[in-house]
Amino acid sequence: MKTLSQVLQDEGWILGDGAVGTALMDEGVESIALPLVPLRQPDVLMNLHLKYLEAGARLIETHTFSANGHKLAALGIDADVVELNRRAAQIARHARDIFGGEAWILGVVGPLAQPVDSQVMPSVPYEQALEYYRPVVAGLLAGGVDGFIVETMSDLPTVRAAVEAIRSETNLPIAVSFAFSPQGTTRYGLSPEEAIEAMASLPGGLPALVGANCGSGPAPLLDAIIRMAPKAKELGIPLAAYPNAGQPGLVAGHVHYPATPRYVATIASALREAGCHVIGGCCGTTAEHIRALQLTLSHAPEPQVLPSVRDITDASASLDVSHSETHDQGISQFFYKRFIISVELDPPRGVNPHRLLDSARVVAEHGADCINIGDSPMARVRLSALATARLISEHLPVQTILHFTTRDRNLMGLQSDLLGAHALGIRNVLALTGDPPGLGDYAHATAVYDINSIGLVKVLNAFNAGQDALGQKIGGHTAFDIGVGVNPNADDLNHELQRFREKLDAGAHFVMSQPIYQPEQLERFLDKMGGLPVPLLLGVMPLVSYRQAVYLHNEVPGIIIGQNILEQFENIQDGTALGIDLALKLMEQLMPLIQGVYLVPSFNRVEPLLPIIEYLRRQDPWQAKVQGEH
């Protein structure tokens, strides 16, 4: 999938979403409870995001307008700002995963409860404003946003503080949006011309987008955009517009926004002509308003609907990659002939696999040999890993490694699924016990665990020998390549070594390690093990930021990140390049000890992995050895 920066540069227009706060109140959420919806009513928020995606929106804003410490305190709310923002971003990402199509998440950074550095009214000092915004940015980044929108702004010092807080942590694209009244100025008297003029002096330079939202209905907002357009064109900044559904009024005791979807859509063409690349809706707009904008902007005769799995799989030509035949052999045919590169992708949380297939295509085109597919990792419901593996193998000339857990199936169902996987051409299985349900969305669900991962290896070996778990004939022999996991960072390394030896004795063919970040972590494990009798794929998850590194080190079991690495990330904005460099150095040092890697993308973004895949393909030590022998 393209980055948001690429989309903003390449696309003629992209559709934003509609109102969040007023839409949540329409669902029965009280206004005072709105800021805490991501923590208290995540399903309601998730469903709202999905409605906008299904209506055609491709930019989804997080529900974090009031999620800063200053605003929350003014509302009498005590909350963990980082966690509130992280959770809101995560919910938006999960909605996108369920939707399955291309979409990008904008982290909303709203105003404080008072202006910043005002000379005429009570205000927040600039340095204090920065401190209020830093945890907002940290939480949104931890949640995996693709960019930021500093929105509903009325004064320039607040904009500068928000932008500086963002740019001190990341170089993701930023949109800045002002709220203009029907009289043509913001609450603190800023005109559209003054707002656009000030964009060149923001910390770090021009934003990716500038525009207007809220404050007024479609007609006054269009006027503000037209006034901003000449300077925006001069500066080369695309515009964004999110009008309200008219001016609100009270009808039967309820706030009512009068502008219909059809009326809001009438200004879409004029907004495009004025230079708007992003058009969505603000207060009072609904999924119907967004659908109307989509129809007007695309000239489509009928609303776009979410494509079915059949539509996607039938349209295989769109992947632009020839189909692969069913593999009679698994990954073992490549070991010691080439350095194996696999990429781990999580199945979508809904029925649409388009985004996953696109990511798989991209990494395959850049040289990946395999895609390894999680089996509802972290005990969260996702599309079947088996079905995902089959979809990938139908469209792409790559091997798949099916993660298969014993958590969800009794011994009978487990064997049935494995036989079905073999019939569908799946040859590589990573035998796992699986995360307990208590970690995920269905804490009340019953875990099965008739057998553990060691028992699963034994079942797979029995199939390869032509028998089931009871020794009964199955009418042939399967050809599974059996993988197992190992954690070189285990707290009780002796216990981990014992279990690993049991997996080898049960018949494992290859091993995949937990992600590591320092060579000595693997070297210590191998020394205690006395070497490995089977090929090893090293787990590598390139870091992208200091906050991600701290989170992984402190909160994810099995991952240890040294202080020397944490210090390198601590004072840089965007750690993507550093993460790639450290990952390459790690792999180069360990190359003599491993037969391949599996790369784990942060937030399912495969683009940062592409330079690593290309480099490893060029430096393949096994290819060099084979060529030398000839």
Side-chain angles (χ1 to χ4, degrees), residues 530-555:
L532 285 183
V534 296
L536 167 65
L537 297 184
L538 178 73
V540 178
M541 182 179 183
L543 300 170
V544 297
S545 71
Y546 174 70
R547 296 187 185 280
Q548 180 207 27
V550 170
Y551 172 81
L552 291 173
H553 178 70
N554 288 283
E555 299 197 38

Side-chain angles (χ1 to χ4, degrees), residues 182-516:
Q183 289 69 44
T185 62
T186 69
R187 177 185 299 182
Y188 304 125
L190 194 67
S191 71
E193 292 84 359
E194 290 170 327
I196 188 70
E197 187 76 36
M199 293 300 96
S201 61
L202 288 180
L206 294 169
L209 286 165
V210 66
N213 76 289
C214 202
S216 58
L221 184 134
L222 173 60
D223 181 65
I225 289 293
I226 290 172
R227 290 170 63 182
M228 299 173 87
K231 187 64 177 181
K233 185 175 181 181
E234 178 186 328
L235 295 173
I237 313 176
L239 292 166
Y242 288 81
N244 287 347
Q247 290 297 308
L250 282 177
V251 176
H254 297 282
V255 176
H256 173 68
Y257 287 85
T260 65
R262 182 176 181 181
Y263 174 75
V264 171
T266 60
I267 70 162
S269 298
L271 288 171
R272 283 287 295 119
E273 291 175 7
C276 284
H277 284 211
V278 173
I279 300 172
C282 204
C283 297
T285 57
T286 66
E288 292 306 313
H289 289 84
I290 301 308
R291 185 172 286 107
L293 287 169
Q294 161 74 7
L295 287 171
T296 299
L297 290 167
S298 63
H299 305 290
E302 57 185 27
Q304 291 187 343
V305 295
L306 186 67
S308 67
V309 173
R310 179 178 296 276
D311 293 333
I312 293 168
T313 53
D314 286 348
S316 57
S318 66
L319 291 170
D320 196 28
V321 178
S322 61
H323 291 209
S324 61
E325 299 298 327
T326 297
H327 299 292
D328 291 329
Q329 290 180 282
I331 194 174
S332 61
Q333 66 184 302
F334 300 116
F335 284 128
Y336 306 109
K337 295 180 182 178
R338 62 187 298 166
F339 189 80
I340 302 299
I341 304 171
S342 186
V343 175
E344 182 165 304
L345 295 177
D346 290 338
R349 290 171 64 92
V351 298
N352 189 339
H354 177 78
R355 187 165 177 262
L356 176 135
L357 290 173
D358 189 53
S359 295
R361 174 186 59 78
V362 169
V363 298
E365 288 176 344
H366 283 77
D369 302 290
C370 309
I371 306 295
N372 52 289
I373 305 150
D375 186 4
S376 288
M378 299 302 291
R380 294 190 173 107
V381 175
R382 289 181 179 271
L383 185 70
S384 159
L386 197 162
T388 302
R390 177 59 185 175
L391 283 171
I392 291 172
S393 65
E394 283 180 349
H395 296 304
L396 299 169
V398 293
Q399 294 262 331
T400 58
I401 302 175
L402 173 67
H403 294 205
F404 196 92
T405 72
T406 65
R407 174 191 59 218
D408 308 317
R409 308 164 176 90
N410 64 21
L411 185 56
M412 182 174 65
L414 179 148
Q415 292 182 91
S416 295
D417 282 352
L418 286 173
L419 291 173
H422 194 271
L424 290 173
I426 307 301
R427 294 293 179 264
N428 308 304
V429 176
L430 182 67
L432 300 169
T433 301
D435 299 312
L439 288 179
D441 301 328
Y442 289 81
H444 60 283
T446 302
V448 181
Y449 296 132
D450 274 0
I451 56 176
N452 60 14
S453 57
I454 299 167
L456 179 55
V457 175
K458 293 178 181 178
V459 169
L460 287 162
N461 258 312
F463 282 165
N464 284 350
Q467 301 176 341
D468 67 9
L470 296 179
Q472 301 175 102
K473 299 289 186 182
I474 60 172
H477 299 260
T478 59
F480 285 118
D481 277 350
I482 308 167
V484 294
V486 73
N487 179 14
N489 300 318
D491 292 333
D492 188 345
L493 191 55
N494 289 329
H495 178 68
E496 183 71 10
L497 287 167
Q498 178 184 344
R499 282 183 54 81
F500 181 47
R501 290 190 178 101
E502 291 178 16
K503 293 175 183 178
L504 294 175
D505 291 342
H509 298 146
F510 66 96
V511 59
M512 300 173 73
S513 80
Q514 277 275 79
I516 70 168

Side-chain angles (χ1 to χ4, degrees), residues 1 46 49-50 53 60 91-105 144 146 348-349 352 355 603-605:
M1 189 175 77
M46 174 93 73
H49 289 319
L50 277 171
L53 287 165
I60 298 298
I91 290 167
R93 282 198 304 109
H94 286 178
R96 178 179 64 187
D97 288 345
I98 293 171
F99 174 69
E102 286 192 332
W104 294 264
I105 310 302
D146 300 299
R349 290 171 64 92
N352 189 339
R355 187 165 177 262
F603 308 118
N604 268 341
R605 296 175 185 147

Side-chain angles (χ1 to χ4, degrees), residues 126-209:
Y126 187 85
E127 291 300 321
Q128 184 63 54
L130 283 176
E131 295 308 308
Y132 280 125
Y133 279 130
R134 292 190 199 282
V136 174
V137 175
L140 292 171
L141 286 173
V145 297
D146 300 299
F148 293 83
I149 180 165
V150 178
E151 69 159 42
T152 323
M153 290 289 141
S154 295
D155 68 301
L156 292 175
T158 300
V159 173
R160 292 191 181 101
V163 170
E164 182 174 341
I166 295 168
R167 284 186 166 152
S168 67
E169 295 289 339
T170 180
N171 62 1
L172 290 176
I174 301 172
V176 176
S177 184
F178 295 88
F180 299 104
S181 71
Q183 289 69 44
T185 62
T186 69
R187 177 185 299 182
Y188 304 125
L190 194 67
S191 71
E193 292 84 359
E194 290 170 327
I196 188 70
E197 187 76 36
M199 293 300 96
S201 61
L202 288 180
L206 294 169
L209 286 165

